[in-house]
Amino acid sequence: MLVLRQAFEERYGMAKGLHVVSAPGRVNLMGDHIDYNGLSVFPMALSRHVSALYRERDDDTVRIASTNSRYGPREFTLRREIEPYEDGDWGNYVKAAAQGLAGRFQIEHGFDAVVHSNVPAAAGLSSSSALVVAAALALLHTNEVEIERLALAELLAKAEHYVGTQGGGMDQAICLAARKHSASRIDFEPLRMTAHLIPPEWQLIVASSLVRAEKSGAVRKLYNARTRECRDALTKVVRAFRAEDRITSYPDLLAASRPAALLKRAEDVLDDTLLRRFRHVVSEAVRVRQVEKALTAYDLKGFGRLMSKSHRSLRDDFEVSTQELDELAEIAEHAGAAGARLTGAGLGGCVVALCPDHRTPRVLKALTGRFYNKRELESDLADHLFVAEPSGGATVMAL
Ligand code: NG1
C-alpha cells in the first residue's frame, strides 16, 4: 500500500478522498478453452492482485499510471465510443472497462489512479481481466452506479473483447465473485457460481514457464483461431442432428447425447484437426464435472489424475502447450504431485500442480532444481513459483 501511496503522491500530489480497489488474478483448475463455448469451468482466485489507488475527478478524464516502468502513464476522455490505443497497449484494458460501462450507464466522472500488480503478467493468470475489473469498479464507484457482481462480470466479459481477444467469461466472473478458501464452478448463460471449499492440505503450486503468453500478436491469433475452430466443429456436428432436436450449442449437445456417442457422430463429419479440437472441448467439459465430484469426495488423487489428463488433451488435441509447460508438468508429477496441467490460454504462461501438503516441499525443490536453476530469472523466484492461496473476489475500500 505504501508503494501505491508514494507513487500516487509523486504523480498527482498530496491527496484526500482516496480509495483502493484490489482485483485478484486467478488460476484455472479445470476447463480451459471451453468457457467461450458456453461450458462450465472450475477456477479459483489467487491472493495476488491488481490494485489501484484512485481519486475521483470532477471532469470526464481518466488518468492512470503504473508502478511498473514497463507501462507508461495514460490519459483519455470518457465517451460512449473510445478510440483504442495501439494494439497491445496496457491502457486498452482500462478503455475496455470504460467503454463497456459508458454504453450502459451514466459514466461522467473519471479518476486519477496508480496501479500496482503482483499478478505475473502474460502468464495465464488473468492479470488483464483483473485490470479491467479494477478499472470498472473504480469507475462505478466514482459515478455512484450500483450493479450486481455477476451482471457486471457478464458485461465486462463482452467489454474486454475491445482489446481484440474473443475470450469467454471465466476470468471476470471469478475475479468479481470468488469465495475465500474455495474454487468455484462457473456456469454460463445465465452466469452462475457454485463455490467448493478446498481442503487446506490440498496445495496448488503455480509454476511459470517463463514464456510470456502476450495477448497481442501470435497468441491472440491462435486463441481466436481456436474459438473459430470450436465454432466450425459445432456447426458441423449440429448438422448431424435433426432440426427438431433444436441443438445450437455445446451445452445442448452434451445434454442431448452421451460424450462417447457424441464423439462417434463427430468422427463422421469432422476432419482430423476439428475432431481433436472437438474432443478436447467435450472431454474437458466432462472433466469439470468429474473434478467437482472428486473435490466433494475429498479424492485428491482422482482430482490430480484428471488434471494430468487435461494437460494431455490441451497438449495433443488442442495444441496449446509448449515444451516448457510439458516439462514443468512432468517434473511436478515425477516429484510427487497428484497431477499437473497448463492453466489458462497456454502457449506460455503457467502450470498448476496439485499436491498433498507433505509433498509440496519436494515438488517445489524439484521444480527449482530441474527448471528454474537452469534459467535466467528476470525477478525473484517467488514471482514465478508459488503456492496459491484460494482467495475472495475484488474489493473496494476507502483509505
Ligand atoms: P488467460 O489465460 O488469462 O489468457 C483466456 C481467456 C479465458 C479462457 C482462457 C482459456 C480472456 C480475457 N480470457 O484467459 O476466457 O478462455 O483463456 O481457458 O480472453
Side-chain angles (χ1 to χ4, degrees):
M1 192 55 61
L2 203 60
V3 186
L4 268 177
R5 191 181 260 282
Q6 268 170 4
F8 191 96
E9 286 179 359
E10 265 167 36
R11 178 155 295 275
Y12 308 114
M14 290 290 278
K16 285 204 187 110
L18 292 181
H19 283 78
V20 61
V21 54
S22 278
R26 63 100 184 96
V27 56
N28 190 19
L29 304 183
M30 190 58 71
D32 272 309
H33 287 278
I34 63 171
D35 60 346
Y36 52 78
N37 293 313
L39 294 166
S40 308
V41 294
F42 206 76
M44 66 179 225
L46 296 170
S47 65
R48 292 181 170 239
H49 297 85
V50 171
S51 300
L53 197 60
Y54 66 93
R55 175 185 56 193
E56 181 186 343
R57 288 179 62 93
D58 292 333
D59 63 12
D60 55 6
T61 300
V62 169
R63 294 198 292 172
I64 189 149
S66 169
T67 54
N68 184 338
S69 57
R70 191 191 265 260
Y71 309 111
R74 298 288 178 265
E75 177 171 335
F76 65 92
T77 311
L78 292 166
R79 294 280 178 269
R80 273 171 162 262
E81 294 279 325
I82 304 174
E83 184 70 22
Y85 294 116
E86 246 177 52
D87 204 17
D89 192 292
W90 78 287
N92 282 337
Y93 292 100
V94 182
K95 286 188 166 180
Q99 180 169 297
L101 292 177
R104 272 277 293 282
F105 304 107
Q106 195 90 345
I107 301 288
E108 292 165 337
H109 294 281
F111 53 65
D112 291 333
V114 174
V115 176
H116 179 75
S117 169
N118 62 358
V119 186
L125 301 178
S126 191
S127 60
S128 56
S129 297
L131 177 56
V132 173
V133 165
L137 288 177
L139 278 174
L140 288 169
H141 175 228
T142 55
N143 288 276
E144 294 177 18
V145 175
E146 302 218 344
I147 168 174
E148 199 257 321
R149 287 261 163 143
L150 292 187
L152 178 60
E154 277 180 323
L155 188 158
L156 293 180
K158 297 220 172 69
E160 198 171 327
H161 290 183
Y162 178 90
V163 304
T165 313
Q166 302 300 311
M170 157 168 64
D171 300 349
Q172 302 79 6
I174 193 71
C175 181
L176 278 159
R179 292 276 180 83
K180 262 191 173 174
H181 312 301
S182 305
S184 295
R185 190 191 78 227
I186 305 180
D187 307 313
F188 301 98
E189 286 169 42
L191 186 59
R192 280 151 297 150
M193 289 178 65
T194 312
H196 292 281
L197 287 172
I198 301 183
E201 58 280 11
W202 289 31
Q203 296 205 313
L204 292 147
I205 296 176
V206 175
S208 164
S209 66
L210 307 177
V211 178
R212 288 174 70 86
E214 211 72 73
K215 272 286 191 46
S216 47
V219 173
R220 179 194 300 159
K221 242 185 164 166
L222 199 121
Y223 186 90
N224 289 343
R226 290 291 178 275
T227 63
R228 256 195 322 274
E229 287 166 346
C230 290
R231 256 198 324 270
D232 289 353
L234 174 67
T235 313
K236 291 191 169 138
V237 175
V238 163
R239 267 194 230 126
F241 283 80
R242 296 168 314 170
E244 57 265 40
D245 293 334
R246 294 178 192 280
I247 290 170
T248 58
S249 66
Y250 278 99
D252 290 348
L253 279 180
L254 279 154
S257 188
R258 286 178 169 278
L262 209 49
L263 290 172
K264 193 97 201 49
R265 272 196 199 223
E267 274 171 24
D268 297 335
V269 292
L270 300 180
D271 65 25
D272 176 60
T273 304
L274 286 192
L275 181 61
R276 285 185 293 118
R277 306 297 186 248
F278 186 81
R279 189 163 58 201
H280 168 72
V281 172
V282 169
S283 64
E284 188 83 346
V286 172
R287 282 187 290 271
V288 168
R289 293 184 204 151
Q290 291 172 330
V291 287
E292 189 177 20
K293 282 205 188 112
L295 181 54
T296 8
Y298 195 63
D299 175 10
L300 177 131
K301 280 193 182 151
F303 198 118
R305 268 196 304 275
L306 290 161
M307 289 171 82
S308 301
K309 271 194 187 166
S310 168
H311 183 78
R312 289 195 290 275
S313 176
L314 287 159
R315 181 190 67 195
D316 303 334
D317 280 349
F318 219 68
E319 296 182 280
V320 290
S321 191
T322 61
Q323 190 233 313
E324 290 84 355
L325 291 166
D326 295 346
E327 199 179 328
L328 285 167
E330 191 275 319
I331 296 171
E333 282 169 359
H334 192 254
R341 65 190 290 279
L342 73 85
T343 182
L347 304 160
C350 294
V351 299
V352 56
L354 173 64
C355 298
D357 52 1
H358 63 276
R359 296 246 177 93
T360 304
R362 204 160 85 201
V363 175
L364 290 173
K365 191 167 165 220
L367 288 165
T368 308
R370 289 183 53 198
F371 192 86
Y372 296 104
N373 285 351
K374 295 185 177 157
R375 289 164 169 87
E376 290 259 341
L377 299 185
E378 272 182 22
S379 59
D380 294 349
L381 179 60
D383 291 338
H384 309 293
L385 177 66
F386 56 90
V387 177
E389 217 179 283
S391 300
T395 55
V396 178
M397 280 185 314
L399 214 63

